[in-house]
Amino acid sequence: MGQEWRGGPPGRVHRDDAVAWRNRAVILLDHLPMPVAVCDTGGAILLANPLMAAEWGTLPSQLRGRNALDFFRPRSSDQLHPVVEALRRRRRSRYPVEVRWSAPGGSERHGEMTVDVVSEAPGAETALLLLLNVLGDVTEPAERPDTALVSPVEARILALAAGGVTTAQIAKSVGLTADGVNYHLQRMSRRWRVPNRTALVARAYVLGVLKPAAWPPEPA
């Protein structure tokens, strides 16, 4: 009787319920009074509400698939380490990250991003819920991306990479997963606008992050 009332076999009923609840979640997301986005563990945006898209002068649909780190710049890379560790250990918690970004009009903005590591059910794929508290425009000059400091972990990763160490060996040496190492390498590549690992290492020497006369390579 219950199945007849629901109008189909149990499998279809469960799928219909899931779609209905997901649609309600999207509607709720759109009506939240603050910028919100949902990302996968690599930072790719899955969903964003209109307020989040407005901070970048675009529409929510145009943000899907883009990486959140292409828009937001953390004030310190050290603030991301707890998030990386939480993902590695599948730990659910919230982490505040101070961020800056460029508004559509060209002004520099800043705020606090709360990164919430979530999953729908045990064993389900983990996602990141981003809640942005906008604090306003930045009054002092923004830090240039090519002179941004690296964290001790990032400096160590760069030194090992400069010595020709593989990603798996770097991960074992610094206590991260291979994905965690690649995350830091990709983030530094975006920050310094270089296309590959070789160019990233060269840039690190130019910026004084690595000692120019040391072998094996060492952080400055």
Side-chain angles (χ1 to χ4, degrees):
M1 176 68 72
Q3 180 175 317
E4 293 175 357
W5 276 101
R6 300 303 294 273
R12 179 177 177 180
V13 170
H14 293 324
R15 287 194 299 271
D16 291 345
D17 286 346
V19 171
W21 278 108
R22 186 172 296 274
N23 290 339
R24 291 171 188 165
V26 171
I27 294 173
L28 177 62
L29 189 73
D30 286 348
H31 286 82
L32 288 177
M34 68 183 306
V36 181
V38 180
C39 302
D40 64 17
T41 55
I45 298 172
L46 305 174
L47 292 171
N49 71 350
L51 289 179
M52 180 68 84
E55 287 297 323
W56 301 322
T58 186
L59 299 173
S61 60
Q62 296 176 331
L63 295 178
R64 291 177 192 147
R66 302 289 300 276
N67 195 293
L69 288 176
D70 291 339
F71 300 97
F72 290 112
R73 302 185 302 277
R75 287 291 299 270
S76 169
S77 60
D78 290 340
Q79 293 180 304
L80 296 177
H81 293 164
V83 181
V84 174
E85 279 300 298
L87 292 173
R88 184 170 73 89
R89 299 176 182 273
R90 300 186 67 83
R91 183 187 302 147
R92 297 177 61 180
S93 189
R94 291 184 175 182
Y95 302 92
V97 179
E98 295 178 64
V99 293
R100 292 186 178 187
W101 65 97
S102 298
S107 63
E108 188 77 3
R109 310 254 293 162
H110 72 120
E112 183 178 83
M113 181 80 77
T114 299
V115 182
D116 198 343
V117 181
V118 298
S119 60
E120 295 179 358
E125 186 175 351
T126 304
L128 300 176
L129 179 64
L130 309 182
L131 307 173
L132 179 62
N133 178 24
V134 180
L135 298 179
D137 292 342
V138 177
T139 55
E140 71 274 13
E143 181 184 37
R144 290 178 58 196
D146 60 344
T147 59
L149 297 177
V150 300
S151 69
V153 171
E154 288 174 330
R156 181 63 180 156
I157 290 173
L158 286 169
L160 292 169
V165 179
T166 66
T167 300
Q169 291 170 330
I170 294 174
K172 184 176 181 180
S173 178
V174 300
L176 294 174
T177 63
D179 287 341
V181 171
N182 285 328
Y183 165 79
H184 285 290
L185 290 172
Q186 291 168 5
R187 182 173 179 275
M188 288 185 286
S189 294
R190 285 194 297 266
R191 183 196 308 165
W192 293 341
R193 299 182 178 91
V194 295
N196 52 49
R197 186 176 298 195
T198 301
L200 180 64
V201 169
R203 189 69 162 152
Y205 276 111
V206 170
L207 294 175
V209 176
L210 300 177
K211 293 182 179 178
W215 189 265
E218 295 179 9

